[in-house]
Amino acid sequence: MGEGVSYRKVEVRVILPEGATNVRFETEVPLVGMEEGVYRTFMDTVGRTTLKLTAMNVVDEARDKTLIVTYDYPFSAAFRKPITIFLGVAAVFATAWGIGRLDVSIGKKS
């Protein structure tokens, strides 16, 4: 990276784990915008919290500045995805078992 570089617009997007709440951040770079949203990926139930920070006219000296993001992660959030997968697989097996128990014969039983 060259010396004396400046950037007109810088956007930093932080994607937190699914279930993260009470998101807070600290930075030494002056910001012009902050958005908090939800990012959904494959097999997410509620989506992942995202933090989008925007700064304008950032100079080269700002590259060593820190961004500290803190959040709460409840114990139940760690088990949300495994429980969802287990219940989905159990539903598939229960459905297959139920369909296998159906009598679809054409003739009368002897």
Side-chain angles (χ1 to χ4, degrees):
M1 186 184 290
E3 291 292 322
V5 177
S6 65
Y7 303 95
R8 181 170 301 172
K9 183 177 181 182
V10 176
E11 291 183 354
V12 175
R13 187 167 143 192
V14 181
I15 301 175
L16 301 172
E18 184 178 23
T21 58
N22 198 17
V23 178
R24 298 175 302 277
F25 70 94
E26 295 177 20
T27 183
E28 300 167 355
V29 177
L31 300 174
V32 294
M34 189 279 295
E35 294 178 30
E36 192 171 328
V38 176
Y39 178 72
R40 298 194 196 295
T41 59
F42 179 67
M43 293 184 63
D44 277 351
T45 53
V46 294
R48 300 166 184 263
T49 303
T50 61
L51 187 64
K52 182 178 174 184
L53 308 172
T54 306
M56 300 293 280
N57 299 324
V58 178
V59 294
D60 192 41
E61 289 79 24
R63 70 176 174 223
D64 294 329
K65 303 295 183 187
T66 58
L67 170 63
I68 299 172
V69 179
T70 58
Y71 57 91
D72 294 332
Y73 190 67
F75 185 73
S76 61
F79 293 107
R80 180 179 289 130
K81 192 170 291 189
I83 289 172
T84 303
I85 292 171
F86 173 75
L87 291 176
V89 170
V92 168
F93 280 114
T95 303
W97 176 78
I99 291 173
R101 302 277 298 162
L102 291 176
D103 182 18
V104 293
S105 61
I106 296 174
K108 293 183 179 181
K109 287 188 177 183
S110 16

